[in-house]
């Protein structure tokens, strides 16, 4: 976490700080806990002048992404790191982060997604939620075991692990067969030959040892994931004013940017592990990129047409990323 990124204050302390439970679904050593959220919780607590104490709960101790909305609603969790795609139909506009060729850089992308939130571009999608940060990992790429992929036709007939709504569409658009495989089962599926490859992230390489089973990687920006750090607006409103200020002063654009920086660093670690293992990372030529865009570009257009408010959001994100 960048020194001086977040704001601390000093002053009189209070005898009974409000305790907030911050839940994450992964262990404390995972990059975004170790490098961001654990020190962030300490910084915010210290900045609250004794009015607030944020306690971290790791590794699913209070639930997992996709469960936190309900946990926050019933008061079992106060703050959570969650994934919008795990709530089908609830955050339709959040799929903007998963569209191919939209977001590549996680820092720029995270800041743009937050700016859209501040501008009201998501409408009432987050009503009742106090958003603290929005982020996306580095865009997904194509990993294969035996078949190097450069052009769309190289995907024809391959069986590809692809989860969510958008990634299977990418696979189908290039005549590959998508299979829904949870991230924690991709290694086994690749090693057994159940799938020929996966649409996944460089940030998944280290925690799931995918460099041991993947040989070829195509660095193609196939979409990120809409990740959100949030709490209940009602819970926030009930906090003492200094606790609210500590949260506000250390959240928003700065926290979203820091989250993106953590993703970028984790992606670099994954890429280094790939090359050290002897894997090949390829970048499409301009000619090949044009072929990919011709094959997959309709996914963005179709999403924009089929999603209420989709075209306006696509246009707004493109404008943000162009600045």
């Amino acid at each position: 976490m960048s020194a001086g990124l977040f704001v601390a204050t000093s002053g009189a302390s209070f005898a009974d700080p409000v305790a907030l439970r911050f839940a994450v679904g992964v262990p404390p050593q995972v990059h975004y806990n170790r490098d961001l959220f654990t020190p962030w919780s300490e910084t915010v607590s210290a900045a609250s002048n004794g009015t607030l104490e944020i306690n971290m709960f790791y590794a699913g101790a209070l639930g997992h992404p996709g469960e936190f909305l309900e946990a926050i609603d019933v008061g079992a969790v106060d703050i959570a790191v969650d994934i919008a795609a795990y709530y089908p139909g609830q955050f339709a506009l959040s799929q903007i982060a998963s569209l191919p060729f939209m977001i590549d850089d996680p820092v720029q992308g995270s800041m743009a997604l937050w700016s859209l939130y501040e501008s009201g571009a998501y409408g009432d999608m987050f009503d009742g939620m106090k958003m603290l940060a929005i982020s996306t990992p580095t865009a997904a790429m194509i990993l294969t075991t035996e078949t190097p992929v450069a052009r769309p036709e190289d995907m024809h007939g391959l069986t590809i692990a692809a989860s969510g709504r958008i990634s299977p569409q990418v696979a189908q658009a290039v005549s590959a067969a998508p299979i829904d495989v949870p991230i924690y089962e991709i290694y086994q599926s690749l090693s057994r030959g159940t799938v020929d490859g996966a649409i996944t992230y460089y940030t998944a390489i280290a925690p799931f040892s995918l460099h041991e089973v993947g040989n070829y990687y195509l660095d193609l920006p196939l979409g990120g994931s809409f990740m959100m750090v949030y709490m209940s607006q009602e819970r926030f409103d009930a906090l003492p004013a200094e606790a609210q200020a500590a949260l506000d002063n250390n959240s928003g654009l700065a926290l979203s940017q820091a989250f993106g920086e953590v993703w970028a660093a984790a992606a670099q670690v994954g890429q280094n592990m790939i090359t050290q293992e002897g894997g090949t990372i390829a970048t499409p030529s301009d000619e090949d990129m044009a072929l990919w865009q011709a094959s997959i570009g309709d996914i963005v257009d179709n999403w924009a047409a089929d999603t209420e408010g989709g075209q306006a959001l696509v246009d707004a994100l493109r404008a943000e990323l162009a600045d």
Side-chain angles (χ1 to χ4, degrees):
M1 184 171 60
S2 301
L5 177 62
F6 300 121
V7 180
T9 62
S10 61
S13 62
F14 292 75
D16 297 310
V18 177
L20 297 183
R21 291 154 294 187
F22 188 169
V24 292
V26 294
Q29 66 270 24
V30 169
H31 55 279
Y32 57 73
N33 288 328
R34 180 192 65 227
D35 299 333
L36 184 61
F37 292 122
T38 299
W40 177 85
S41 68
E42 296 167 355
T43 296
V44 175
S45 297
S48 73
N49 289 339
T51 63
L52 189 63
E53 179 182 293
I54 300 179
N55 300 309
M56 299 293 299
F57 291 84
Y58 303 102
L62 295 181
H64 296 276
E67 302 171 349
F68 289 137
L69 268 181
E70 181 178 359
I72 285 177
D73 187 54
V74 300
V77 169
D78 298 300
I79 303 173
V81 179
D82 214 342
I83 300 172
Y86 288 5
Y87 300 91
Q90 191 154 356
F91 301 109
L93 288 176
S94 70
Q95 292 170 356
I96 186 75
S98 302
L99 296 174
F101 306 122
M102 292 293 294
I103 294 175
D104 189 3
D105 177 77
V107 180
Q108 183 189 30
S110 297
M111 295 174 71
L113 291 172
W114 178 264
S115 294
L116 291 177
Y117 169 70
E118 284 197 317
S119 73
Y122 303 119
D124 61 1
M125 192 167 70
F126 298 118
D127 279 4
M129 300 167 65
K130 168 69 175 179
M131 301 299 287
L132 302 175
I134 297 171
S135 187
T136 177
T138 306
M141 47 73 180
I142 297 173
L143 172 164
T144 49
T145 53
E146 304 296 334
T147 305
V149 171
R151 296 186 168 196
E153 58 261 33
D154 298 330
M155 293 283 284
H156 292 186
L158 297 184
T159 302
I160 300 294
S163 299
R165 178 184 172 188
I166 304 300
S167 291
Q169 294 180 38
V170 171
Q172 290 170 339
V174 292
S175 300
I179 295 181
D180 187 5
V181 180
I183 184 64
Y184 51 84
E185 293 181 3
I186 289 180
Y187 182 103
Q188 185 180 53
S189 296
L190 290 168
S191 63
R192 292 183 173 181
T194 306
V195 296
D196 302 304
I199 296 175
T200 189
Y201 303 95
Y202 288 119
T203 52
I205 298 299
F208 299 103
S209 301
L210 298 184
H211 60 295
E212 297 178 357
V213 287
N215 294 310
Y216 303 101
Y217 303 79
L218 185 64
D219 201 353
L220 194 65
L222 294 180
S225 176
F226 197 103
M227 296 192 68
M228 49 193 185
V229 185
Y230 65 98
M231 63 186 301
S232 160
Q233 184 67 53
E234 182 179 6
R235 183 72 170 112
F236 176 83
D237 291 342
L239 294 174
E242 289 192 272
Q244 292 181 1
L247 284 164
D248 281 337
N249 290 339
N250 294 284
S251 301
L253 184 64
L255 184 57
S256 300
Q257 178 181 348
F259 204 172
E261 290 170 352
V262 168
W263 284 122
Q268 186 60 60
V269 169
Q271 291 173 327
N272 292 343
M273 295 177 75
I274 289 168
T275 55
Q276 290 168 6
E277 189 74 17
T280 300
I281 300 175
T283 301
S285 65
D286 291 344
E287 179 183 355
D288 288 347
M289 182 62 80
L291 294 174
W292 283 103
Q293 290 172 332
S295 299
I296 299 171
D298 284 349
I299 292 174
V300 177
D301 296 335
N302 292 339
W303 182 86
D306 295 341
T307 304
E308 184 177 355
Q311 187 61 60
L313 192 60
V314 166
D315 294 342
L317 178 58
R318 284 173 171 161
E320 283 286 341
L321 294 172
D323 288 343

